[in-house]
Amino acid sequence: MRSLRGGVLAAMVLFAGAETGAAANNAVRAPQIVAAIDDAHRVELVGNVRPEARPRNDRGAVPETLRLNHILLQLKRSASADQALQRFITRLSDRTSPDYRHWITPQQFGARFGVEDSDIQKITGWLALHGFQVTRVMPGHMLVDFSGTAGQVRDTFHSEIHYLDVKGQRHLANISNPQIPVALAPAIGGISSLSDFWPHTNFMPRAKYTFGGCKGSCYAVVPADLATIYNLKPLFNAGFAGQGQTIAVIEDSDVYSAADWSTFRTTFGLSSFNTGSFSQVHPNCGDPGIGGNDEEATLDAEYATAAAPGAAIVLASCPDDYPTFGGLVALESLINSAPPPGVISISYGECEAYDGAAANATYYAAYQQAITEGVSIFVSSGDEGAAGCDADAMAATHGIGVNAMASTPFNVAVGGTDFGDTYARQNATYWNTTNSSVYGSAKSYIPEIPWNNSCASTLSAAYNSGSALTYGSSGFCNSAQGEKYFLTTASGSGGPSACATGTPSTYGVVSGSCAGYAKPSWQSNVAGIPGDGTRDLPDVSLFAANGLWSHYFIVCFSDPYNGGHPCSGAPSGWSGGGGTSFSAPILAAIQSLVDQYIGAPQGNPNPVYYYLAGLEYGANGNAGCNSSNGNKVNASCVFYDTTAGDMDVNCVGSNNCYLPSGANGVLSTSSSSYNASYSTATGWDFATGLGSVNAANLAAAWP
């Protein structure tokens, strides 16, 4: 490993030298609204209706006076401005460009790449004319936050808000696409949300199987274990623990108790890093208080500090307000503030086909702006294998889909792994029989497999039945044990972006005019990456399992009203769980260590991840970095290539479901043959992306 301090100085000089590179770039904005605004001549904003807004769920219009707060109007820049922005983003990661890592402010972004001032004045004037209150025009000039009543939405956008009854729960949503005057259409992309179908968390509570809490002994994962397994210790020992770095976790709830965060740090030996701090902010919104997702907020804050104990952890939360997800309001406010946090972690999700084109465009635009400011965005890939539209389900029914909040080209999609020592019957090789004073027990790096609780996992099938056959009447998914314990979609997620734009013709299924994001140029030159022309997920994966193979995370979460437990006594009695809700803030924290090491924020780190993976894996993979080597893996590896197992899940129906016989099939890219969605492979794969990371080697190798 090269000198840790030398890397910082070199990077700081490089960054300082780039400061003047972008100054000569001129604004490329131009007015797009040139015709008179005529309310009689309208156009639909397609992709703005939730699939649940169907006649069978409709329970009638909401009261006209119902208040709708934080309605987000997504703006649309001109084609020339969009091309200029794409060129600028490319130059930000081009070490030969004077714009290399030359980050800009939200105001500079708006002046150079946002919608022109006169167009915004016409749009906000039109909203005000119809009685809406414009809360804020974001400095990036790509979003207008406004409020009004359901009656005003109906009269202005010709779209009624109705109550819906979906799975026994009352919701509200617009039942038709909004309409706007044709003259405004060149500068308006859509309305991000007119419903209360908010994203779900990617947390999975610890599984409680009737044949015991674990397969044999439980090996719970705590911060000291993470430091051993993913090689954080050399960075900590060299003084790189996140000091001076800010990691923001995006939420729609406060934590139940800030004391939980402090107890977590004290118990697991993190409080010695005395620069670490925790705060809660509510940017341009009210305090959401303690909501139903306070466990998500707690684990995000705790596992961000677990991997970067010297960093400032900022929980940014806004209330879920009709009609907008509070986390989105918080995110938009953060990236439109100065200075924004260096790293942001998001542990929520919704599949592309459910989210709709307008909401998808808002996350795309937000992340796009964020990386020009130097912000790195990390998003959970999901907890349902490739069945992104079947979260928390016993079976996949909607086919292959991915998390819309993770599928843009401007964020790191973080998948989930499990440890393979239990499958290999090698627990004693990798875990001590007693804990350290801070409850760590991992001995070394541990071989990894995809996190997968489903009967469609060939590893589960082989371990429990003696045969890797998962499908058909004699397959594990149709066995008594498989049907009793393993019918679930719970697993790490990945797959191709396929419905980021357009509108599905079938409820929640990639169909109709659906199309995915194009494959970014940096997602290339690594063994295993498919030539599908599409943005593929995930990018990197870390441990995220919730107990099937004896491993799960410990959380200090004391809320007795939402399933918490007192954080007293041995941590084995505390709350526990898994999900990519954990892997996202952990990888975000690792990136903050890299930022500290380099001495500068990195914006979108994916170009560097894939560059380094290309050096390590090349076109044929690297046997020395195969995760299955476990404690014999090459000490110089930046990435650990997961090559055993899959993230396939069980399914029913006809959407990407191979069901030759029996009641349960397995998710497959072909419904007429077995082509698991998806298996691991050499190099990159849909199950775990580039694999997991060696944190110290990642920092040392960073350009």
Side-chain angles (χ1 to χ4, degrees):
M1 182 183 296
R2 63 179 172 84
S3 167
L4 295 173
R5 295 291 180 186
V8 173
L9 292 175
M12 289 177 69
V13 171
L14 176 62
F15 186 74
E19 284 291 335
T20 59
N25 287 302
N26 297 318
V28 293
R29 299 187 303 158
Q32 301 178 85
I33 301 173
V34 295
I37 300 172
D38 182 356
D39 274 314
H41 292 84
R42 292 178 164 263
V43 63
E44 279 192 13
L45 297 174
V46 297
N48 282 261
V49 180
R50 287 284 307 194
E52 296 91 347
R54 297 185 288 173
R56 76 178 189 186
N57 297 329
D58 197 339
R59 299 299 181 267
V62 304
E64 290 188 0
T65 56
L66 180 67
R67 185 75 179 172
L68 303 175
N69 297 312
H70 293 297
I71 306 173
L72 301 181
L73 186 68
Q74 182 63 50
L75 304 182
K76 181 170 60 177
R77 63 176 58 87
S78 66
S80 60
D82 191 59
Q83 292 166 4
L85 175 57
Q86 296 293 351
R87 290 193 296 269
F88 179 64
I89 288 173
T90 300
R91 293 196 299 268
L92 285 173
S93 58
D94 179 358
R95 282 172 285 172
T96 67
S97 170
D99 285 324
Y100 179 59
R101 295 179 183 163
H102 187 281
W103 318 118
I104 59 178
T105 67
Q107 289 75 16
Q108 290 171 328
F109 182 91
R112 292 173 59 182
F113 307 116
V115 170
E116 210 274 339
D117 293 11
S118 63
D119 287 347
I120 290 178
Q121 290 170 3
K122 291 174 182 177
I123 292 168
T124 56
W126 177 74
L127 290 171
L129 184 65
H130 287 273
F132 291 106
Q133 291 77 50
V134 176
T135 306
R136 189 183 186 201
V137 176
M138 296 296 177
H141 279 200
M142 288 301 296
L143 200 74
V144 177
D145 184 332
F146 67 101
S147 301
T149 66
Q152 289 168 334
V153 168
R154 178 200 61 206
D155 295 340
T156 306
F157 294 101
H158 295 190
S159 181
E160 287 192 347
I161 309 294
H162 281 211
Y163 287 121
L164 304 177
D165 187 347
V166 180
K167 297 180 180 179
Q169 295 183 337
R170 190 172 82 161
H171 290 272
L172 57 81
N174 56 305
I175 59 170
S176 62
N177 280 314
Q179 300 177 19
I180 58 171
V182 172
L184 298 179
I188 293 179
I191 300 177
S192 301
S193 176
L194 284 173
S195 77
D196 66 351
F197 289 93
W198 300 312
H200 57 81
T201 67
N202 286 314
F203 166 72
M204 285 281 177
R206 176 188 168 191
K208 293 182 174 65
Y209 298 99
T210 58
F211 48 85
C214 295
K215 292 179 183 298
S217 299
C218 292
Y219 300 91
V221 178
V222 301
D225 297 321
L226 288 177
T228 296
I229 295 164
Y230 293 125
N231 203 28
L232 298 167
K233 290 179 180 179
L235 291 169
F236 293 167
N237 293 339
F240 296 94
Q243 297 91 331
Q245 306 300 307
T246 299
I247 304 167
V249 294
I250 301 298
E251 312 293 345
D252 61 356
S253 171
D254 294 344
V255 297
Y256 174 72
S257 171
D260 286 352
W261 187 84
S262 298
T263 300
F264 181 87
R265 282 174 58 88
T266 301
T267 302
F268 295 123
L270 305 175
S271 54
S272 60
F273 299 91
N274 55 21
T275 58
S277 63
F278 173 69
S279 60
Q280 299 184 97
V281 300
H282 315 296
N284 295 294
C285 64
D287 185 343
I290 300 167
N293 291 329
D294 59 330
E295 185 163 17
E296 179 65 58
T298 299
L299 72 89
D300 287 344
E302 290 181 356
Y303 276 86
T305 202
I313 310 302
V314 176
L315 188 154
S317 62
C318 291
D320 290 333
D321 211 347
Y322 296 122
T324 302
F325 170 52
L328 177 56
V329 177
L331 171 67
E332 290 286 356
S333 294
L334 283 189
I335 66 170
N336 281 285
S337 63
V343 177
I344 291 176
S345 176
I346 302 172
S347 293
Y348 292 77
E350 181 64 285
C351 75
E352 290 178 333
Y354 277 171
D355 213 34
N360 292 346
T362 297
Y363 287 103
Y364 179 98
Y367 301 166
Q368 186 181 46
Q369 177 180 332
I371 65 170
T372 69
E373 299 169 8
V375 181
S376 302
I377 305 280
F378 294 80
V379 188
S380 302
S381 66
D383 292 354
E384 48 282 329
C389 292
D390 292 301
D392 300 317
M394 289 187 64
T397 58
H398 293 88
I400 297 170
V402 298
N403 180 7
M405 297 173 69
S407 65
T408 86
F410 311 115
N411 65 274
V412 179
V414 190
T417 67
D418 203 336
F419 297 129
D421 54 307
T422 300
Y423 174 78
R425 295 174 171 81
Q426 295 178 337
N427 296 131
T429 302
Y430 293 101
W431 301 91
N432 289 307
T433 56
T434 59
N435 292 323
S436 69
S437 61
V438 292
Y439 297 96
S441 57
K443 296 180 180 180
S444 67
Y445 176 70
I446 303 173
E448 291 174 272
I449 58 178
W451 167 43
N452 190 350
N453 292 358
S454 171
C455 59
S457 162
T458 54
L459 297 183
S460 279
Y463 189 95
N464 289 285
S465 71
S467 168
L469 184 68
T470 58
Y471 55 85
S473 57
S474 59
F476 187 53
C477 284
N478 290 298
S479 68
Q481 186 182 23
E483 289 190 320
K484 184 174 183 179
Y485 298 118
F486 296 93
L487 291 182
T488 179
T489 60
S491 60
S493 288
S497 171
C499 200
T501 63
T503 304
S505 56
T506 302
Y507 175 83
V509 176
V510 174
S511 55
S513 59
C514 282
Y517 293 122
K519 187 178 291 297
S521 60
W522 43 258
Q523 195 169 42
S524 59
N525 300 318
V526 178
I529 294 177
D532 54 4
T534 297
R535 166 70 165 126
D536 293 318
L537 280 65
D539 298 304
V540 180
S541 296
L542 296 176
F543 175 73
N546 68 325
L548 176 64
W549 292 103
S550 308
H551 311 296
Y552 62 92
F553 285 106
I554 295 289
V555 181
C556 177
F557 175 61
S558 62
D559 182 359
Y561 306 103
N562 285 305
H565 300 278
C567 300
S568 58
S572 57
W574 296 7
S575 295
T580 54
S581 280
F582 287 90
S583 54
I586 293 170
L587 188 60
I590 290 174
Q591 184 61 44
S592 77
L593 304 182
V594 173
D595 290 2
Q596 182 191 8
Y597 179 90
I598 294 299
Q602 301 301 302
N604 186 1
N606 266 330
V608 177
Y609 290 166
Y610 281 84
Y611 166 74
L612 294 176
L615 296 179
E616 181 170 299
Y617 295 152
N620 301 306
N622 184 333
C625 295
N626 189 328
S627 174
S628 297
N629 294 335
N631 56 13
K632 295 180 175 60
V633 72
N634 193 308
S636 65
C637 298
V638 173
F639 296 99
Y640 299 125
D641 186 8
T642 307
T643 59
D646 57 69
M647 63 168 191
D648 201 12
V649 298
N650 50 284
C651 62
V652 294
S654 59
N655 296 309
N656 301 119
C657 189
Y658 179 55
L659 209 169
S661 59
N664 305 294
V666 295
L667 199 68
S668 172
T669 56
S670 170
S671 295
S672 59
S673 62
Y674 177 60
N675 193 358
S677 302
Y678 290 93
S679 298
T680 55
T682 297
W684 187 95
D685 53 62
F686 285 114
T688 62
L690 297 171
S692 62
V693 299
N694 180 308
N697 290 351
L698 177 66
W702 203 269

